[in-house]
């Protein structure tokens, strides 16, 4: 391939191929970076959603227990159980989706502690209510029961009532037992939220490295392209521009001052053919002039 057109075409096609390859590499790395950033953001958003769900469930149960223990509104017992199930489901979801479950140990312990405490309170409340209803039924109907059976029933009712605190005892139970467990649970949820965010730091550092990796092919291709363009400029000057300039100057000197046409050229392409044709033309002119 000694033609000028082929050389110029090869030079420009090399630059195009270099730019295409570097662009494709950058595109692949940017896609990987985009997927990684999306995964990190999705994980962060999911952790925040689960933590919010746990805090909402704990708050709902706290409000229900205030109505149940302090205000004595028994209809909030269902809300209390529903909030507990909601909290357990959110914790189970977090355990299934977590890559490192060590952050959930304290939260799991606090949730189990609250569940045991609340279930025991609700169970004692239900037993005391059943015993109270039985005593009231016997008293209203005035059933003829012997003294031993009556004493047994009264004793069971007294025990059940003793296990169920009165209103003042319920308030004391809430402030002394439940409130401390509730605070530990909310603190564990907040710790889970912060720990999961800190666990995403390695992924963010990896994204940083991927960003540099995505930019590196572009920088390398830019430097190589600059070097190729400088080389292309050099070779175009040596093998194309300078011969044309020299032939033009030498031909002008011949026409103006009859200076012999003499051009040194290292080319083996159309420029050499052009030089040879000019030499032949000048030679024919000299022969005709004689």
């Amino acid at each position: 391939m000694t033609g000028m057109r082929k050389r110029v075409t090869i030079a420009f096609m090399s630059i195009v191929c270099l730019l295409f390859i570097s662009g494709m590499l950058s595109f692949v790395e940017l896609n990987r970076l985009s997927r990684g950033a999306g995964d990190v953001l999705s994980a962060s958003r999911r952790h925040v959603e689960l933590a919010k769900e746990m805090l909402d469930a704990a708050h709902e149960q706290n409000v229900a227990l205030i109505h149940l223990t302090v205000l004595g509104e028994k209809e909030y017992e269902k809300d209390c159980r529903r909030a507990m199930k909601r909290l357990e489901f959110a914790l189970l979801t977090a355990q299934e989706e977590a890559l490192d479950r060590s952050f959930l140990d304290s939260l799991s312990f606090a949730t189990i502690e609250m569940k045991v405490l609340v279930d025991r309170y609700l169970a004692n409340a239900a037993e005391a209510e059943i015993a109270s209803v039985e005593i009231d039924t016997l008293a209203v109907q005035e059933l003829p029961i012997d003294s031993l059976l009556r004493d047994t029933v009264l004793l069971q009712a007294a025990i059940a009532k003793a296990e169920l605190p009165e209103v003042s005892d319920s308030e004391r139970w809430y402030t002394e037992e439940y409130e401390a467990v509730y605070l530990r649970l909310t603190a564990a949820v907040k710790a889970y939220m912060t720990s999961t965010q800190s666990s995403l730091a390695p992924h963010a550092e990896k994204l940083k490295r991927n960003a540099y990796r995505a930019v590196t092919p572009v920088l390398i291709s830019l430097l190589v392209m600059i070097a190729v363009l400088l080389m292309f400029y050099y070779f175009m000057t040596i093998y194309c521009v300078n011969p044309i300039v020299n032939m033009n100057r030498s031909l002008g000197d011949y026409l103006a001052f009859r200076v012999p046409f003499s051009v040194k050229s290292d080319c083996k392409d159309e420029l050499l053919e052009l030089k040879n044709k000019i030499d032949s033309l000048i030679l024919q002119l000299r022969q005709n002039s004689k």
Side-chain angles (χ1 to χ4, degrees):
M1 294 183 181
T2 59
M4 182 184 300
R5 179 176 297 176
K6 292 181 179 179
R7 290 181 180 181
V8 174
T9 302
I10 292 174
F12 278 102
M13 289 303 296
S14 300
I15 296 175
V16 171
C17 292
L18 177 63
L19 293 176
F20 177 77
I21 293 173
S22 63
M24 290 301 297
L25 290 176
S26 300
F27 180 75
V28 172
E29 291 295 334
L30 286 176
N31 281 339
R32 186 180 302 174
L33 178 64
S34 177
R35 289 194 300 270
D39 293 339
V40 171
L41 292 177
S42 298
S44 177
R45 182 173 60 252
R46 183 58 176 168
H47 290 158
V48 172
E49 290 176 355
L50 289 175
K52 181 179 180 299
E53 179 70 14
M54 294 178 192
L55 288 176
D56 290 342
H59 177 71
E60 181 181 352
Q61 187 186 54
N62 182 42
V63 173
L65 277 175
I66 290 175
H67 285 274
L68 184 62
T69 58
V70 178
L71 302 179
E73 299 176 357
K74 303 297 182 181
E75 62 271 13
Y76 280 89
E77 181 178 349
K78 294 181 179 180
D79 295 338
C80 181
R81 296 184 183 278
R82 182 173 61 252
M84 193 68 228
K85 291 181 179 179
R86 180 182 175 187
L87 177 61
E88 291 177 342
F89 180 77
L91 176 60
L92 181 61
T93 304
Q95 289 176 342
E96 292 177 351
E97 297 180 359
L99 298 177
D100 187 3
R101 297 186 179 182
S102 59
F103 298 113
L104 295 170
D105 293 340
S106 59
L107 180 58
S108 301
F109 178 78
T111 303
I112 293 173
E113 185 180 12
M114 173 172 283
K115 176 176 174 57
V116 172
L117 182 65
V118 173
D119 288 346
R120 185 171 65 246
Y121 179 85
L122 295 178
N124 292 337
E127 292 177 0
E129 185 176 358
I130 293 174
S132 177
V133 170
E134 290 179 354
I135 293 175
D136 293 339
T137 303
L138 291 175
V140 172
Q141 295 180 354
E142 295 182 354
L143 295 177
I145 57 177
D146 54 16
S147 59
L148 181 59
L149 180 59
R150 184 181 295 107
D151 293 339
T152 302
V153 173
L154 291 176
L155 179 60
Q156 292 178 351
I159 293 174
K161 288 184 177 181
E163 292 179 353
L164 177 65
E166 298 295 335
V167 175
S168 59
D169 294 336
S170 298
E171 294 177 359
R172 187 165 52 252
W173 173 86
Y174 176 83
T175 56
E176 294 179 0
E177 296 186 31
Y178 175 79
E179 190 173 13
V181 176
Y182 173 74
L183 292 177
R184 284 197 295 270
L185 176 64
T186 54
V189 174
K190 294 177 182 178
Y192 159 74
M193 184 186 301
T194 56
S195 62
T196 52
Q197 295 302 315
S198 62
S199 66
L200 296 177
H203 298 283
E205 186 66 23
K206 184 178 179 181
L207 291 179
K208 183 179 178 181
R209 292 194 299 269
N210 289 339
Y212 286 117
R213 189 183 303 170
V215 177
T216 300
V218 178
L219 295 178
I220 294 176
S221 63
L222 179 62
L223 295 176
V224 173
M225 185 177 64
I226 292 174
V228 170
L229 288 176
L230 291 176
M231 293 175 61
F232 182 68
Y233 171 77
Y234 172 76
F235 288 117
M236 287 289 292
T237 302
I238 295 298
Y239 295 107
C240 185
V241 177
N242 288 342
I244 293 176
V245 172
N246 293 332
M247 282 189 290
N248 182 52
R249 183 177 62 250
S250 181
L251 184 60
D253 293 340
Y254 172 78
L255 295 175
F257 308 105
R258 294 300 175 178
V259 177
F261 180 80
S262 177
V263 176
K264 293 182 180 181
S265 177
D266 298 329
C267 301
K268 294 181 181 180
D269 50 19
E270 289 82 358
L271 290 177
L272 182 60
E273 294 179 2
L274 178 61
K275 174 182 174 298
N276 294 331
K277 289 178 180 179
I278 293 176
D279 288 335
S280 299
L281 181 60
I282 293 175
L283 182 60
Q284 290 179 3
L285 291 176
R286 287 178 180 177
Q287 291 176 356
N288 294 332
S289 63
K290 293 179 180 181

